[in-house]
Amino acid sequence: MHMCALLLCCLSGIAQGVYGRDSCQLMVKSIPDSVYQAGDVVIGGLFPVHVKEPQPDWEYRSKKVNASCEIFHQRAYRWLQAMIFAVEEINNNTDFLPNFRLGYLAADTCLAESTTLSAAMAMVTGQEVYLANSQCGSVPAVPVIVGDSRTSASVIVANTLGVFDIPMVSYFASCGCLSDKRRYPLFFRTMTSDAAEARAMAELLRLMGWTWVGLVSADDDFGRFGIQMLMDALRGTDVCVAYYEIIPKDYTKTTMQRIVETIQKSTARVVVAFLTDLDAKILFEEVVEQNVTDKQWIGNDAWATYSSIAVPRNLPSFAGTIAFALRRADIPGLGPFLTRLNPSLSSSDPFLKELWETLFGCSLSAGLGRKLCSGSEAIGIGQSVYADVSQLRTTYNVYKAVYAIAHAIKEMLACEPGKGPFLEGQCPDVKKLQPVQIAHYLRHVNFTTPLNEWINFDQNGDPPASYDIINWHVTAQGVGEFVTVGQFMSSQVSGGQFYLDMDRVVWGGGSKHRIPVSVCSSPCPPGTRKAVQKGRPVCCFDCLPCADGEISNKTGSLECIRCPERFWSNSNHTVCIPQQVDFLSYSDTMGIVLSTVSAVGAALTAATFATFLHYRHTPLGVYGRDSCQLMVKSIPDSVYQAGDVVIGGLFPVHVKAPQPDWEYRREKVNASCEIFNQRAYRWLQAMIFAVEEINNNTDFLPNFRLGYLAADTCLAESTTLSAAMAMVTGQEVYLANSQCGSVPAVPVIVGDSRTSASVIVANTLGVFDIPMVSYFASCGCLSDKRRYPLFFRTMTSDAAEARAMAELLHLMGWTWVGLVSADDDFGRFGIQMLMDALRGTDVCVAYYEIIPKDYPKITMQRIVKSIQKSTAKVVVTFLIDPDAKALFDEVVEQNVTDKQWIANDAWATYSSISVSRNLPSLAGTIGFALRRADIPGLGPFLTRLNPSLSSSDPFLKELWETLFGCSLGAGLGRKLCSGSEAIEIGQSVYADVSQLRTTYNVYKAVYAIAHAIKEMLACEPGKGPFLEGQCPDVHKLQPLQIAHYLRHVNFTTPLKEWINFDQNGDPPASYDIVNWHVTAQGVGEFVTVGQFMSSQVSGGQFYLDMDRVVWGGGNGHRIPVSVCSSPCPPGTRKAVQKGRPVCCFDCLPCADGEISNKTGSLECIRCPERFWSNSNHTVCIPQQVDFLSYSDTMGIVLSTVSAVGAALTAATFATFLQYRHTPLVRANNSEVSFMLLVSLKLCFLCALAFIGQPAAWSCMLRHSLFGISFVLCISCLLSRTVVVLVAFRSTLPGENLMRYVGPAQQRLGISICTLVQVLICALWLSLAPPQPAERDTVDSWGPKIILECSTGSVVGFSLVLGYIGLLACLCLLLAFLARKLPDNFNEAKLITFSMLIFCAVWVAFVPAYISSPGKYTVAVEIFAILASSYGLLFCIFAPKCFIIFLRPEKNTKKHLMAR
């Protein structure tokens, strides 16, 4: 179906004929396969009732109407019916949702993402064909959906419906990815997350000791994320993955066969499967067909209890399966509900017909070739997958999902208007329910199901997780049975609680009650250690016995432990025992025998000496019949010249060795090597040139001549070793016995060019103490002097080149690179050293490909496709020239032109690769080449050759024929060479002297040997380096002697380059950085653009002239970008993507209060105390310190009001002082009035103590001054009220109550009342005084530091306020009683009114004080002080001042006494 068919076309005029112009039309009624019931709220449901969707018409030539899905899924139809059952159960419970009915709309998804999304969109748009425009965009018909069953579809639907804020509650989508609330904020589920299941599986593998397992997953988000989480859970454990296979969704037969063959052939006995039920069914059909019965299967919850798989046919392969299943439940009434169905009663259900025909194998329609259903058939509980209620797991999840939604709606209905969770306390309108509203209530559901299970959703929308551990048993009747043998309860803190009843478990693979063993290698016993097998996981290892003197005393030891001094290992290498003190004594039997034999030998020697002395003049034959014979003359392809010392040379003049006869039926004589290598032949000639140059210099080695024996290695280890052994054994066919085992014919060898061959030759010749000086073997492994003590080289080690390459990658910011190496020691060790050099940097490896030595076409194509498809733009290579040539032939053929190649020295200047055909792909290559040199005289020396003049050179004929394309022999089908052709400098690879790099290494190697010999010749007898000061005999030179002098050579070549060997036999290292340019003529040119000088201390000095570099991949002078993820800008941090290298990351913004101030930050930095992040999270800025200061507008206003109040009080005081003798002032006890005015002034002034930054003195002053001032004020009012009340209540004759309320008594009463407050304040200040305090708070502008005064003691503060309140209430009560006394003299009304204002202000103060933030808390307190003070001032004194100033006629005794 097309999504456009689901959209409402709200454009005027589209339904003009029905509703008029103002309407819109739903183009297609999109849910033909659905079950519907109306209700106040309709719950949507997505169920895979069929498992194969109809194929769309991609040509769009016709409208496809109601295309049917295929393959009915009984289990999913049971889920659909469970939803209907739950809805009806809720509707029938009138106490649950009174006067409210739930409806449902359940649709078929066909187990496909497209149909799932179509059904979901159709649900939320509604089913009305026509709508008025006013209704477009209104409340969705379905505000919440139960579904989907699959992760892939749930991801798509959640992403789509999330735009419209429509929540989903899934019952079976378990992928951990759906717990990401940033991406899926409205996704909930009653299905537990795969993260918990992955932890459970990892725990099972660990407990059972299964360290070698296979993985199988579905080709969807569920399978991929599930396996990824399992791998994350296994990280850091000993478990390794033998293989990982993915089941494709089209289930092609050949692919399924290949996958099962992989499972069958693997040595991993345990297979973990993250599959949906359908994927599992298809896989297991192939497993049974191939009769795979020796595996232990570990199942996930999707198929753990799938009865369609556990059929008798499958049990031989799957009996004993261990699976993690959802908790089982028995839902009362569901069985009868499922079996109630009948086609004659439920015509509205489009699925019922197909269910009936599937269950009973009949047809409800005539003419389909099957028997007709009678309609009277009955569904029996447990007789089909649909009616099986014994394993209600996913079904129970559906049930819980409906109840979760119902409980959310129940909470909505209980909402009280004005107290709702939405804007202004609104409650949702359930009749027009917005999806966001139901999502809000779903987040907070917390209920118990009718089955007494507690349900809620955590912050990720996930339920509490728990699993039953299911074991597949076979009953006596041969039927599969799901037996619960354990439980796993997930925990976010500890990972989970795992319980397994081992006695009840029946294991798979035929193991029964014996736990299967699934390991790549058996644990190493004590006395051995693990040695990981190259190229295999760490679980695959060999068990190597500990060396003598070392032990391992536990199983699976990684290393052997060296025994302490004077201890040694026992025979089993498990215990260190004291060493036996042993020496040969004269008392031993062996000592006696040997001393006797020694004495007899000495006697015989003396007799022989006497005999020879007596017959010393007689002749004696020297050579007799006893001699030894060299069986084969082994170096047919070699160039030889005699000398006092003959230097051997190994050169790959050919690059393909002859194939040996592995049947050994005949001797293969002089089999020729193939493919002539001009470059290597130039190296051979350079050795000859150096020897002749040295011999011609009579001052260098006077009266001494060097010889040479240079042989062809054919670029193969076997021929290289054969040639080397032939050199050291010599070429004489017969030798006298006296000469057997004497000095080798060749005591030192220049070679080999390859690491692999050098390793073999060095190992072999090392037994005979013969040194080698290699000119091209660069592997760092050869620097190991313990293994190769006699190996030297003029070629720098790959370790330096690896450091140079790592430095280049780092400088250019290339953090995502591909690696390619040769399948030999050179390539593997080179890449290993590069990885070591990259360790700790930001560079990650996108892929690592190895070039096989036979260069098969299919493999080369696959490698180049991997290079081409990768997002890594930079490719680093460690290849020799033939490997590089084979690779780039395929690169050019596949037209890969967007890569930046990094070349190692072996092919960085190889002109056979930099041909015009290759330049579109390789132009811009950056290579590390050996230092170039110009060797004077070498060019003419190379071009001197002619076949007619050099008949002893077996290679010259082939060189000549290769250079000139002719033949020196008749009958070969080519023109004959005249012999007069001339080799010219620079016109061939052989005669190219513009890039003498490796050639120069050969030249230096010969000179190093010559300088060693020179030092020998200069040795003075008695001062030599050997025993008793001996010097070597150069004519009988021992290899060890020349090795000694080689270690100490220190000379300058004729080209003025200083040469020596370090402790590892390596020379000083330096490289030219070469860039491949293309000239105007389209020819490749090697341009030196930089240099790298290696240093053991600093790693190397790197220089690159960026202006001269032309970059590869078509970038020109723009540096290529090769990163997996772009650097994170400041304000963000890296978050590594799961299952990918650390270079692949997302950039997450820093949290509030954290910053990152540089690009590519790994973590955000928490701002220090009293600081906060700015809006960009790049800088920590000081937090705003907030207090009520005198500079604030509010502070200025309040201080002004306080000062005005104090001034008015002072003015009133002055007025009363001025008119103190008037009746009005005297009538009310002027002394008390003055005290009242003083206290009011203190009340006004104490407000100023609340303004400003809190300090210890101000905190104590403000509260104590406030408390005492107001108590003094109210005490004065109380005193005056009592006086008035007593004066006018004394009505009986003779009563003289006024004597008790005289001025002295008033002063005493006021003092006592005030003294009580003073004592309270004194105790408060002495025991727990108020102190300055800081309080952190956050508002819309960020966090603030609120400076305030803490109360110190809540009790003290409460007593102060309580005492003020007590006096105020008493004063108010007494004034109220005296309010009707004579007006002219009575102040009771004024006091009553002032006390009412006072109490009203302070009652209002409490909520305002509590709810005010920050400095406004203090402002509220000041306002209350000022308001109450002004109230007292104006209510008490304003009327009197009015009389004094404006009505002086009333300020008389007569007026005051009048009634």
Side-chain angles (χ1 to χ4, degrees):
M1 295 180 184
H2 310 308
M3 287 301 300
C4 59
L6 299 174
L7 300 177
L8 289 174
C9 191
C10 289
L11 300 171
S12 58
I14 200 144
Q16 188 172 358
V18 182
Y19 284 105
R21 297 192 57 175
D22 296 329
S23 65
C24 58
Q25 179 181 355
L26 182 68
M27 299 304 294
V28 179
K29 189 173 178 72
S30 305
I31 321 180
D33 292 339
S34 59
V35 183
Y36 175 71
Q37 177 178 294
D40 296 307
V41 170
V42 178
I43 301 173
L46 300 172
F47 302 93
V49 181
H50 293 86
V51 296
K52 187 176 181 182
E53 66 174 330
Q55 293 301 312
D57 178 15
W58 295 117
E59 295 181 354
Y60 300 101
R61 293 179 180 175
S62 61
K63 182 177 178 182
K64 195 166 185 177
V65 181
N66 292 348
S68 297
C69 299
E70 302 170 14
I71 309 177
F72 190 81
H73 190 191
Q74 297 183 47
R75 191 182 183 206
Y77 187 63
R78 188 212 307 147
W79 302 340
L80 184 151
Q81 288 295 325
M83 175 180 169
I84 297 173
F85 171 78
V87 169
E88 293 191 3
E89 186 177 73
I90 292 167
N91 287 338
N92 293 334
N93 184 352
T94 55
D95 295 331
F96 190 84
L97 294 177
N99 302 317
F100 192 94
R101 288 191 66 80
L102 293 178
Y104 55 80
L105 175 55
D108 184 9
T109 68
C110 301
L111 205 70
E113 286 78 5
S114 58
T115 47
T116 305
L117 183 58
S118 297
M121 290 299 292
M123 287 179 182
V124 299
T125 55
Q127 294 300 293
E128 295 80 3
V129 178
Y130 293 98
L131 286 177
N133 273 351
S134 61
Q135 292 177 288
C136 286
S138 62
V139 177
V142 173
V144 60
I145 291 177
V146 173
D148 180 56
S149 64
R150 295 173 64 222
T151 290
S152 303
S154 295
V155 166
I156 294 171
V157 175
N159 273 322
T160 306
L161 298 190
V163 177
F164 308 104
D165 297 327
I166 296 174
M168 296 173 62
V169 185
S170 177
Y171 53 90
F172 208 27
S174 59
C175 177
C177 56
L178 288 163
S179 297
D180 187 349
K181 288 297 104 174
R182 294 174 303 172
R183 294 185 60 191
Y184 312 106
L186 300 175
F187 183 86
F188 305 85
R189 54 182 162 192
T190 52
M191 175 70 187
T192 52
S193 169
D194 284 336
E197 189 170 24
R199 291 196 297 272
M201 287 181 170
E203 184 69 9
L204 175 66
L205 297 176
R206 187 186 68 81
L207 288 175
M208 297 300 105
W210 294 329
T211 60
W212 188 234
V213 300
L215 304 181
V216 183
S217 82
D219 188 17
D220 52 26
D221 289 341
F222 163 73
R224 286 189 292 270
F225 277 98
I227 290 295
Q228 184 58 57
M229 284 184 288
L230 175 60
M231 288 182 173
D232 291 344
L234 292 175
R235 190 167 291 124
T237 69
D238 293 329
V239 181
C240 299
V241 176
Y243 56 85
Y244 173 29
E245 293 293 342
I246 299 176
I247 308 296
K249 286 302 175 185
D250 55 358
Y251 310 124
T252 52
K253 184 66 175 177
T254 54
T255 305
M256 298 306 297
Q257 287 175 337
R258 181 193 61 77
I259 291 172
V260 174
E261 285 173 0
T262 300
I263 295 171
Q264 188 170 28
K265 291 178 181 178
S266 175
T267 56
R269 293 283 305 280
V270 174
V271 186
V272 181
F274 255 94
L275 303 169
T276 63
D277 46 6
L278 183 61
D279 295 321
K281 190 171 186 295
I282 301 298
L283 172 65
F284 296 156
E285 285 174 359
E286 186 61 33
V287 168
V288 172
E289 188 173 321
Q290 295 195 29
N291 195 29
V292 181
T293 59
D294 62 338
K295 303 300 179 183
Q296 172 67 59
W297 294 86
I298 308 297
N300 61 300
D301 48 25
W303 62 272
T305 56
Y306 189 29
S307 54
S308 292
I309 298 177
V311 293
R313 175 176 177 268
N314 294 351
L315 291 177
S317 295
F318 298 101
T321 292
I322 297 287
F324 294 84
L326 305 174
R327 298 295 298 276
R328 191 180 68 82
D330 294 314
I331 304 175
L334 180 62
F337 184 86
L338 295 175
T339 59
R340 84 196 187 288
L341 297 179
N342 192 290
S344 60
L345 302 175
S346 305
S347 58
S348 62
D349 189 338
F351 309 112
L352 183 54
K353 176 178 180 290
E354 195 168 358
L355 169 70
W356 208 261
E357 293 176 343
T358 302
L359 290 180
F360 301 108
C362 58
S363 174
L364 288 170
S365 303
L368 296 179
R370 288 189 293 179
K371 67 176 182 178
L372 282 174
C373 301
S374 65
S376 60
E377 297 89 353
I379 302 173
I381 295 177
Q383 292 183 358
S384 62
V385 173
Y386 163 72
D388 182 6
V389 292
S390 64
Q391 296 290 333
L392 297 180
R393 301 177 190 273
T394 311
T395 307
Y396 183 44
N397 278 356
V398 176
Y399 183 84
K400 288 188 290 186
V402 175
Y403 264 89
I405 296 170
H407 274 274
I409 295 173
K410 182 180 181 182
E411 289 298 316
M412 289 184 190
L413 296 175
C415 178
E416 297 179 25
K419 297 182 180 180
F422 306 114
L423 186 64
E424 298 179 354
Q426 291 181 2
C427 291
D429 182 355
V430 183
K431 303 296 183 182
K432 294 182 179 179
L433 187 61
Q434 298 295 329
V436 166
Q437 295 172 331
I438 198 168
H440 169 81
Y441 283 95
L442 274 172
R443 289 190 185 96
H444 301 92
V445 292
N446 198 326
F447 67 97
T448 302
T449 69
L451 279 69
N452 294 321
E453 182 181 356
W454 171 64
I455 298 295
N456 74 326
F457 298 113
D458 65 14
Q459 67 274 17
N460 297 321
D462 294 333
S466 64
Y467 292 91
D468 286 340
I469 302 176
I470 302 297
N471 191 206
W472 288 24
H473 288 196
V474 181
T475 65
Q477 294 76 31
V479 179
E481 180 182 17
F482 305 124
V483 179
T484 302
V485 294
Q487 194 176 66
F488 178 84
M489 300 291 290
S490 177
S491 166
Q492 292 295 329
V493 179
S494 63
Q497 298 175 348
F498 195 99
Y499 165 72
L500 186 64
D501 186 351
M502 302 292 288
D503 295 332
R504 299 184 65 197
V505 177
V506 175
W507 300 101
S511 297
K512 297 191 180 297
H513 292 285
R514 180 170 42 84
I515 299 175
V517 176
S518 186
V519 296
C520 183
S521 301
S522 298
C524 293
T528 64
R529 65 173 179 85
K530 292 182 180 179
V532 176
Q533 297 170 1
K534 276 191 177 180
R536 303 201 67 191
V538 293
C539 302
C540 302
F541 48 83
D542 299 318
C543 296
L544 303 183
C546 292
D548 290 339
E550 295 180 344
I551 66 163
S552 66
N553 50 15
K554 60 182 180 181
T555 301
S557 295
L558 293 174
E559 295 293 337
C560 295
I561 305 166
R562 170 69 61 183
C563 287
E565 191 176 358
R566 303 185 71 86
F567 282 79
W568 200 247
S569 56
N570 64 346
S571 59
N572 295 327
H573 296 277
T574 56
V575 178
C576 287
I577 55 177
Q579 288 183 356
Q580 183 180 356
V581 179
D582 194 21
F583 61 92
L584 186 61
S585 67
Y586 287 105
S587 58
D588 289 343
T589 304
M590 187 179 293
I592 295 170
V593 171
L594 291 176
S595 57
T596 303
V597 171
S598 175
V600 170
L604 290 173
T605 303
T608 304
F609 181 83
T611 302
F612 268 65
L613 184 63
H614 187 268
Y615 294 101
R616 62 183 179 277
H617 300 298
T618 61
L620 184 67
V622 178
Y623 296 105
R625 297 180 58 189
D626 297 327
S627 64
C628 57
Q629 178 180 351
L630 182 67
M631 298 303 295
V632 181
K633 188 176 178 68
S634 305
I635 320 180
D637 292 338
S638 59
V639 182
Y640 175 71
Q641 177 179 295
D644 296 307
V645 169
V646 176
I647 301 174
L650 299 172
F651 302 94
V653 180
H654 294 86
V655 296
K656 187 175 181 182
Q659 293 300 313
D661 178 15
W662 296 117
E663 295 181 352
Y664 299 103
R665 294 179 178 176
R666 61 186 181 276
E667 181 179 354
K668 194 165 185 176
V669 181
N670 293 346
S672 298
C673 299
E674 303 172 18
I675 309 176
F676 190 79
N677 186 359
Q678 297 183 47
R679 191 182 182 205
Y681 187 62
R682 187 210 309 144
W683 302 340
L684 185 150
Q685 289 294 326
M687 174 181 170
I688 297 173
F689 171 79
V691 169
E692 293 192 4
E693 186 176 71
I694 292 167
N695 287 338
N696 292 335
N697 184 352
T698 55
D699 295 330
F700 191 82
L701 293 177
N703 302 316
F704 194 93
R705 289 190 64 81
L706 292 178
Y708 56 81
L709 175 57
D712 182 12
T713 66
C714 301
L715 205 68
E717 286 79 358
S718 57
T719 49
T720 304
L721 183 58
S722 297
M725 290 301 292
M727 286 179 181
V728 299
T729 56
Q731 295 301 293
E732 296 81 3
V733 177
Y734 292 98
L735 287 176
N737 273 349
S738 60
Q739 293 178 286
C740 285
S742 63
V743 178
V746 173
V748 62
I749 292 176
V750 173
D752 182 54
S753 63
R754 293 174 64 219
T755 291
S756 303
S758 295
V759 166
I760 293 171
V761 174
N763 272 323
T764 306
L765 298 190
V767 178
F768 307 106
D769 298 327
I770 297 174
M772 297 172 63
V773 185
S774 177
Y775 54 88
F776 209 27
S778 56
C779 177
C781 57
L782 289 163
S783 297
D784 187 350
K785 288 297 104 175
R786 294 174 302 173
R787 294 185 60 191
Y788 312 107
L790 300 176
F791 182 85
F792 304 86
R793 53 182 161 192
T794 52
M795 174 71 186
T796 52
S797 169
D798 284 337
E801 187 169 23
R803 290 196 299 272
M805 288 180 170
E807 184 71 12
L808 175 65
L809 298 177
H810 172 70
L811 288 176
M812 297 300 107
W814 295 329
T815 58
W816 188 236
V817 300
L819 304 181
V820 183
S821 81
D823 188 17
D824 52 23
D825 287 341
F826 166 73
R828 284 190 293 269
F829 277 100
I831 291 294
Q832 184 60 54
M833 282 184 290
L834 175 61
M835 289 182 173
D836 290 342
L838 292 175
R839 190 167 292 123
T841 69
D842 294 331
V843 182
C844 298
V845 176
Y847 57 85
Y848 173 31
E849 297 290 349
I850 298 176
I851 307 295
K853 285 302 177 185
D854 53 354
Y855 314 130
K857 184 68 175 177
I858 295 176
T859 304
M860 299 305 293
Q861 287 176 337
R862 181 194 60 75
I863 291 171
V864 174
K865 283 179 182 176
S866 296
I867 295 171
Q868 189 171 26
K869 289 179 181 178
S870 174
T871 56
K873 297 297 182 184
V874 174
V875 187
V876 183
T877 64
F878 262 94
L879 303 169
I880 61 174
D881 42 6
D883 297 327
K885 191 173 186 304
L887 172 66
F888 294 130
D889 285 345
E890 187 61 38
V891 166
V892 171
E893 186 172 323
Q894 293 195 29
N895 194 30
V896 181
T897 59
D898 62 337
K899 303 299 179 183
Q900 172 66 57
W901 295 90
I902 309 298
N904 61 298
D905 50 22
W907 65 273
T909 58
Y910 189 30
S911 54
S912 292
I913 296 178
S914 62
V915 293
S916 300
R917 173 178 176 269
N918 295 354
L919 290 179
S921 296
L922 299 178
T925 292
I926 298 290
F928 291 86
L930 305 174
R931 296 294 300 277
R932 191 180 67 83
D934 295 317
I935 304 175
L938 180 61
F941 184 84
L942 295 175
T943 59
R944 82 194 187 290
L945 296 179
N946 192 292
S948 60
L949 302 176
S950 305
S951 59
S952 62
D953 188 339
F955 310 113
L956 184 54
K957 175 178 178 290
E958 196 167 358
L959 170 70
W960 206 262
E961 293 177 344
T962 302
L963 290 179
F964 301 109
C966 59
S967 174
L968 289 170
L972 296 179
R974 289 189 294 177
K975 68 175 183 178
L976 284 174
C977 301
S978 64
S980 61
E981 297 87 359
I983 302 173
E984 296 185 13
I985 295 176
Q987 293 190 352
S988 63
V989 173
Y990 164 72
D992 182 7
V993 292
S994 64
Q995 296 289 334
L996 297 180
R997 302 177 189 274
T998 311
T999 307
Y1000 183 45
N1001 277 357
V1002 176
Y1003 182 81
K1004 289 188 290 186
V1006 176
Y1007 264 89
I1009 295 169
H1011 273 275
I1013 295 172
K1014 181 179 181 181
E1015 289 299 316
M1016 290 183 190
L1017 296 174
C1019 177
E1020 298 181 24
K1023 297 182 180 180
F1026 305 116
L1027 187 62
E1028 297 178 354
Q1030 292 181 4
C1031 290
D1033 182 354
V1034 182
H1035 296 288
K1036 293 183 179 179
L1037 188 61
Q1038 298 295 329
L1040 269 179
Q1041 295 171 331
I1042 199 169
H1044 168 83
Y1045 281 97
L1046 274 170
R1047 288 190 185 94
H1048 300 91
V1049 292
N1050 198 326
F1051 66 98
T1052 302
T1053 69
L1055 279 69
K1056 307 302 181 186
E1057 181 182 356
W1058 172 64
I1059 299 295
N1060 75 327
F1061 297 115
D1062 64 13
Q1063 68 274 16
N1064 296 321
D1066 297 331
S1070 64
Y1071 291 94
D1072 287 340
I1073 302 176
V1074 175
N1075 191 207
W1076 288 27
H1077 288 194
V1078 181
T1079 65
Q1081 294 74 32
V1083 179
E1085 180 183 14
F1086 305 125
V1087 178
T1088 300
V1089 294
Q1091 194 176 67
F1092 178 83
M1093 300 290 291
S1094 178
S1095 166
Q1096 293 294 331
V1097 179
S1098 63
Q1101 297 176 348
F1102 196 99
Y1103 166 72
L1104 186 64
D1105 187 350
M1106 302 293 287
D1107 296 332
R1108 300 184 64 197
V1109 177
V1110 176
W1111 299 102
N1115 288 283
H1117 292 283
R1118 181 169 42 86
I1119 299 175
V1121 176
S1122 186
V1123 295
C1124 184
S1125 301
S1126 298
C1128 292
T1132 63
R1133 66 173 179 85
K1134 293 180 180 179
V1136 177
Q1137 297 170 1
K1138 276 192 175 181
R1140 303 200 69 192
V1142 292
C1143 302
C1144 303
F1145 49 82
D1146 299 316
C1147 296
L1148 302 183
C1150 293
D1152 290 337
E1154 296 181 343
I1155 65 161
S1156 65
N1157 51 13
K1158 60 182 180 180
T1159 301
S1161 295
L1162 292 173
E1163 294 293 337
C1164 295
I1165 305 167
R1166 170 67 60 182
C1167 287
E1169 192 175 356
R1170 305 179 70 87
F1171 283 80
W1172 199 251
S1173 55
N1174 64 346
S1175 58
N1176 295 326
H1177 297 278
T1178 55
V1179 179
C1180 285
I1181 55 178
Q1183 286 185 5
Q1184 184 179 351
V1185 178
D1186 198 21
F1187 62 91
L1188 187 63
S1189 70
Y1190 287 104
S1191 59
D1192 287 345
T1193 302
M1194 188 180 297
I1196 295 171
V1197 170
L1198 292 175
S1199 57
T1200 302
V1201 172
S1202 175
V1204 170
L1208 288 174
T1209 305
T1212 303
F1213 185 88
T1215 300
F1216 269 59
L1217 186 64
Q1218 176 70 26
Y1219 294 95
R1220 64 185 178 276
H1221 301 298
T1222 62
L1224 182 64
V1225 176
R1226 294 180 62 191
N1228 291 287
N1229 192 340
S1230 58
E1231 185 180 351
V1232 174
S1233 295
F1234 287 130
M1235 292 176 66
L1236 178 59
L1237 287 169
V1238 170
S1239 64
L1240 279 174
K1241 188 169 186 177
L1242 290 174
C1243 289
F1244 280 115
L1245 293 176
C1246 80
L1248 298 176
F1250 286 82
I1251 303 174
Q1253 183 171 346
W1257 65 269
S1258 66
C1259 288
M1260 290 188 287
L1261 177 64
R1262 65 171 63 169
H1263 289 97
S1264 56
L1265 183 59
F1266 157 71
I1268 294 170
S1269 300
F1270 270 91
V1271 165
L1272 177 59
C1273 180
I1274 296 171
S1275 298
C1276 292
L1277 291 175
L1278 181 62
S1279 174
R1280 298 181 70 163
T1281 305
V1282 170
V1283 169
V1284 171
L1285 191 62
V1286 170
F1288 286 95
R1289 292 292 183 183
S1290 313
T1291 57
L1292 295 177
E1295 274 187 312
N1296 191 12
L1297 295 178
M1298 288 301 295
R1299 69 178 183 272
Y1300 297 112
V1301 290
Q1305 285 80 10
Q1306 290 180 46
R1307 286 194 297 271
L1308 180 61
I1310 291 170
S1311 299
I1312 291 172
C1313 289
T1314 306
L1315 184 61
V1316 172
Q1317 184 75 308
V1318 171
L1319 290 174
I1320 292 172
C1321 290
L1323 287 171
W1324 181 18
L1325 297 180
S1326 60
L1327 297 177
Q1331 292 292 333
E1334 294 181 356
R1335 178 166 56 87
D1336 293 330
T1337 186
V1338 180
D1339 60 14
S1340 58
W1341 301 100
K1344 290 182 179 179
I1345 299 174
I1346 305 299
L1347 300 183
E1348 58 186 8
C1349 288
S1350 66
T1351 56
S1353 170
V1354 177
V1355 174
F1357 185 59
S1358 301
L1359 287 174
V1360 168
L1361 292 180
Y1363 187 61
I1364 294 173
L1366 176 64
L1367 292 180
C1369 292
L1370 181 60
C1371 184
L1372 175 63
L1373 177 63
L1374 294 177
F1376 181 78
L1377 294 175
R1379 70 189 185 283
K1380 293 184 179 180
L1381 297 177
D1383 290 339
N1384 289 342
F1385 185 77
N1386 185 14
E1387 288 184 304
K1389 285 186 178 180
L1390 299 177
I1391 295 173
T1392 302
F1393 189 60
S1394 65
M1395 282 295 99
L1396 282 173
I1397 294 174
F1398 183 90
C1399 293
V1401 167
W1402 284 101
V1403 168
F1405 159 77
V1406 175
Y1409 182 85
I1410 293 172
S1411 61
S1412 298
K1415 62 184 178 184
Y1416 299 103
T1417 305
V1418 179
V1420 166
E1421 193 170 357
I1422 296 173
F1423 178 80
I1425 292 170
L1426 294 177
S1428 56
S1429 299
Y1430 272 106
L1432 292 173
L1433 178 64
F1434 283 115
C1435 288
I1436 302 297
F1437 293 100
K1440 296 178 182 180
C1441 290
F1442 177 80
I1443 292 173
I1444 289 172
F1445 290 114
L1446 301 178
R1447 296 287 187 269
E1449 68 275 9
K1450 293 184 178 182
N1451 190 5
T1452 62
K1453 186 175 181 180
K1454 179 181 178 180
H1455 177 76
L1456 295 175
M1457 296 298 293
R1459 289 182 178 269

